[in-house]
Amino acid sequence: RVQPGTPSTIAWSDENSNTFERNMFYHANAIRSFFKEIDPALTAMDRPLYVDLQYGGSEVNAYSNGDSIVFLAVDDASARMAQGPSVLYHEYGHSVNDLLYRSLGRDGMVNMACHEGTADVVSTLLLDDPRIGYGVFTDNPERFIRNVQNDMIYPDSSVGESHNDGLILAGAFWDLRNMVSLEYARRIAHFARYGTPDDPDDGIAFRRWFVETLIADDDDGNLANGTPHMMEIVTAFN
């Protein structure tokens, strides 16, 4: 049994684990360290995280339940979602959304387009790569699941499907990343969460994310006189 604060050496080998399990262990710890580095006060994720790798079946997918992240059909020959970190980082983003919002008195994040979009933001900004799931498809290593580097806008690009519509919000943050430093983009995308921007209506929710991003950027408590990166944020969200 491992005691808190006491180092424990784990000798990984092919006898006690496989490459998917070792990969998930490493990257689950890596992304937790990432959030702790930019937000040391974040305690919502200070809890055991269960990563469930399910073998067999025909549905290749992954999802988050807050305290657990589940990968389906891990051994499917067509797509290895647990092979690289991108999908895990996306699902961890879902966990942060729900657990942080709950810690702030909300019932998790309601808007699924924002849920998917900000989960994409977590993965793409951590890897500094706009592609989600790049390299997971075995038949074509250049194929990916989604790309946040896009020209999608609201409401023209909305189709009522959360993964697609989330690319509108994720695209705004990627545009912002291209105008500011990577470190700043990571911080502002995270700290905007503390305003718990959300709404069942996508248009209202996106607008609230825009406002909370400005608030997170503000340095004097007065939005009327602008914020340090107001022009970049306005340009990105437009």
Side-chain angles (χ1 to χ4, degrees):
R1 185 177 180 85
V2 179
Q3 298 298 320
T6 303
S8 177
T9 300
I10 300 175
W12 294 111
S13 71
D14 289 336
E15 295 181 356
N16 62 18
S17 62
N18 61 40
T19 183
F20 300 122
E21 293 164 342
R22 295 190 291 268
N23 190 56
M24 292 296 99
F25 179 85
Y26 175 86
H27 287 291
N29 280 281
I31 191 169
R32 181 182 183 277
S33 297
F34 164 77
F35 273 103
K36 278 295 187 180
E37 182 176 345
I38 63 173
D39 185 8
L42 177 67
T43 60
M45 303 306 296
D46 291 350
R47 55 207 297 154
L49 175 68
Y50 181 60
V51 181
D52 182 9
L53 302 181
Q54 297 186 7
Y55 298 87
S58 58
E59 182 186 5
V60 180
N61 207 344
Y63 62 89
S64 165
N65 283 329
D67 286 328
S68 64
I69 294 174
V70 181
F71 285 80
L72 303 175
V74 173
D75 54 347
D76 189 289
S78 65
R80 301 295 177 87
M81 288 194 176
Q83 187 75 48
S86 175
V87 176
L88 174 69
Y89 292 168
H90 169 92
E91 299 303 338
Y92 196 93
H94 280 304
S95 296
V96 173
N97 286 340
D98 274 334
L99 295 176
L100 178 57
Y101 272 45
R102 290 175 190 171
S103 74
L104 296 172
R106 302 291 294 272
D107 188 22
M109 184 183 287
V110 172
N111 187 282
M112 290 310 298
C114 293
H115 227 314
E116 294 296 342
T118 51
D120 280 352
V121 169
V122 168
S123 179
T124 55
L125 290 186
L126 180 50
L127 293 171
D128 197 22
D129 187 326
R131 299 163 296 184
I132 301 294
Y134 174 68
V136 306
F137 298 101
T138 54
D139 65 336
N140 182 2
E142 295 301 312
R143 185 180 167 196
F144 48 84
I145 300 173
R146 289 183 299 282
N147 194 334
V148 304
Q149 184 170 300
N150 60 66
D151 296 320
M152 298 174 67
I153 59 172
Y154 181 83
D156 303 41
S157 305
S158 295
V159 298
E161 198 283 318
S162 59
H163 294 86
N164 174 85
D165 298 350
L167 288 170
I168 300 170
L169 180 60
F173 278 108
W174 187 257
D175 286 347
L176 181 61
R177 182 266 171 273
N178 287 326
M179 290 183 278
V180 298
S181 71
L182 176 60
E183 180 183 4
Y184 167 80
R186 288 170 170 173
R187 291 184 59 83
I188 202 72
H190 171 66
F191 282 101
R193 282 187 178 90
Y194 279 93
T196 63
D198 203 7
D199 193 86
D201 180 273
D202 288 354
I204 296 174
F206 290 163
R207 184 166 65 250
R208 288 179 176 172
W209 268 96
F210 164 64
V211 173
E212 291 300 336
T213 302
L214 286 173
I215 292 173
D217 183 54
D218 187 44
D219 59 355
D220 65 359
N222 182 12
L223 288 182
N225 64 4
T227 72
H229 300 89
M230 174 174 277
M231 291 306 300
E232 292 90 342
I233 294 170
V234 169
T235 300
F237 275 83
N238 273 344

